[in-house]
Amino acid sequence: MTLTEEILRLKKEKNAVILAHNYQPEEIQRLADYTGDSLELAIRAKDAKEDIIVFCGVLFMAETAKILNPGKKVILPVKEAGCPLADYLTPEMVIDARKKYPGAQVVLYVNSSAESKAEADITCTSANAVSVVASLESDTILFGPDSNLASWVQEQIPDKKIIPLPKGGHCPVHQAFTEEMAEKFRGEGYMTVCHPECPKAVRDRCDLVASTGGMVKNAFKSDKWIVLTEKDMVYRLKTEFPLKEFKGFETAVCEDMKLITPKILKKALLDEKPEITLPEDIMKRAGKAIEKMIALSR
Ligand code: 13P
Ligand code: SF4
């Protein structure tokens, strides 16, 4: 049996579903039942009927899946797969900011720990950040941990005051994009899309700012794209639209997203671990914030 056949056999035998984020390596995307952005995968995890959810992504995504569907066994094949952006924020920082800005509502990007989410009013992803913030009553919003996404939301909703929490939180992969990269193929018939985690100067030079799921949904707008996000997004886009041209940047690598290999995935399925577990109280409080977001996004 080939490794792929073994994985498919184990998946069937154990009644498991494999979810993979758009940044996963090609060989993992090929093995997945569903590939998508953070919001699409969270919704698929919530609706999962299978006994086991194998989440090929990073810790905050697997935690979100567990919180949304606590009765299922959620496996993150490499437990060290984290997100440096999520690490910018602690629950204590949220608690302190609330004291400093009484009356402000707290919106946390899903790229944060479950413990931080437990202190939030609502979560968001890059796909729904604008509609989540717009839905809130308060005129002052504490938004973390991505300050670039916070500034992008501020541009879309000038009537509210958006305070980044903390100042300067960023994703190292998206922070590394430059204006020159956005301009590189200008005039050669390409449309340029970037993720809202990119700095403002980069966003301002792109034709479109979109979540990774938004990149798939908007691909019909051009036959030639420059894609400013993690490099394996290009594989996802090419799979969906084989007749279109997508140019990415090989230097844009999220190391945490590359830790899972087919061999590791097979072992995780076989052993049914590493399993995601969270304290009951955190599940409950973070769950409220995440469920509010899901209700707004269906
Ligand atoms: P998406 O929700 O757009 O897939 O983004 C997740 C992420 O981690 C971006 O760096
Ligand atoms: Fe986190 Fe950036 Fe990797 Fe996304 S690309 S998972 S924000 S480190």
Side-chain angles (χ1 to χ4, degrees):
M1 246 193 215
T2 66
L3 187 51
T4 300
E5 284 166 349
E6 278 186 76
I7 290 169
L8 297 180
R9 179 184 64 79
L10 278 168
K11 194 182 67 168
K12 202 168 163 200
E13 194 177 292
K14 298 197 175 241
N15 191 23
V17 62
I18 301 175
L19 307 183
H21 186 264
N22 289 324
Y23 297 162
Q24 284 292 295
E26 287 182 31
E27 55 277 23
I28 297 295
Q29 291 198 35
R30 270 190 246 116
L31 286 164
D33 296 298
Y34 294 90
T35 310
D37 72 8
S38 313
L39 182 63
E40 291 161 344
L41 295 179
I43 292 174
R44 179 59 183 82
K46 180 175 165 62
D47 295 343
K49 299 282 180 284
E50 297 83 357
D51 297 323
I52 300 178
I53 299 168
V54 182
F55 210 116
C56 296
V58 295
L59 180 63
F60 76 81
M61 297 177 180
E63 283 182 344
T64 302
K66 179 69 187 172
I67 292 166
L68 286 169
N69 204 341
K72 306 295 177 186
K73 191 178 255 190
V74 177
I75 311 276
L76 177 65
V78 177
K79 68 176 189 310
E80 294 78 18
C83 168
L85 167 60
D87 296 341
Y88 270 97
L89 192 65
T90 63
E92 292 72 32
M93 288 157 91
V94 182
I95 295 165
D96 288 349
R98 276 197 193 275
K99 285 185 195 143
K100 202 168 158 200
Y101 298 97
Q105 285 177 292
V106 177
V107 179
L108 289 196
Y109 194 26
V110 284
N111 301 42
S112 54
S113 68
E115 288 75 11
S116 293
K117 287 186 183 84
E119 303 299 332
D121 292 300
I122 188 166
T123 62
C124 73
T125 73
S126 54
N128 60 19
V130 173
S131 54
V132 164
V133 171
S135 76
L136 299 175
E137 277 167 29
S138 178
D139 292 333
T140 307
I141 306 293
L142 290 159
F143 188 106
D146 189 13
S147 58
N148 288 323
L149 181 61
S151 77
W152 186 68
V153 175
Q154 178 71 84
E155 286 163 26
Q156 316 307 310
I157 312 178
D159 293 350
K160 288 194 193 282
K161 182 176 159 66
I162 305 203
I163 301 166
L165 178 67
K167 225 176 172 177
H170 66 266
C171 158
V173 180
H174 290 89
Q175 192 68 22
F177 283 107
T178 61
E179 296 161 58
E180 291 69 34
M181 287 157 110
E183 295 284 5
K184 199 169 169 200
F185 302 95
R186 182 73 69 206
E188 293 180 34
Y190 290 92
M191 261 181 92
T192 310
V193 62
C194 75
H195 198 275
E197 288 176 13
C198 289
K200 176 175 167 51
V202 173
R203 296 195 310 263
D204 285 351
R205 280 164 179 76
C206 290
D207 301 303
L208 184 70
V209 177
S211 70
T212 63
M215 291 179 188
V216 174
K217 289 188 183 99
N218 286 284
F220 72 91
K221 291 179 178 163
S222 175
D223 288 335
K224 292 165 76 176
W225 285 97
I226 305 298
V227 182
L228 283 83
T229 190
E230 212 278 341
K231 76 175 184 67
D232 279 314
M233 183 64 211
V234 167
Y235 173 76
R236 171 76 207 278
L237 287 162
K238 281 184 177 161
T239 310
E240 295 287 335
F241 306 99
L243 300 179
K244 291 184 187 284
E245 188 190 339
F246 300 95
K247 266 191 208 293
F249 293 85
E250 283 300 305
T251 51
V253 180
C254 175
E255 300 291 351
D256 288 87
M257 285 281 185
K258 306 300 159 202
L259 295 173
I260 302 170
T261 63
K263 217 170 147 186
I264 291 173
L265 172 56
K266 188 201 122 185
K267 187 159 168 42
L269 258 169
L270 190 68
D271 300 346
E272 299 184 19
K273 60 179 198 219
E275 188 185 347
I276 299 290
T277 55
L278 287 161
E280 204 51 50
D281 166 61
I282 297 292
M283 296 264 284
K284 214 169 144 191
R285 290 193 294 135
K288 270 193 194 161
I290 301 170
E291 290 285 5
K292 267 193 218 162
M293 168 189 80
I294 299 285
L296 271 179
S297 311
R298 287 262 195 195

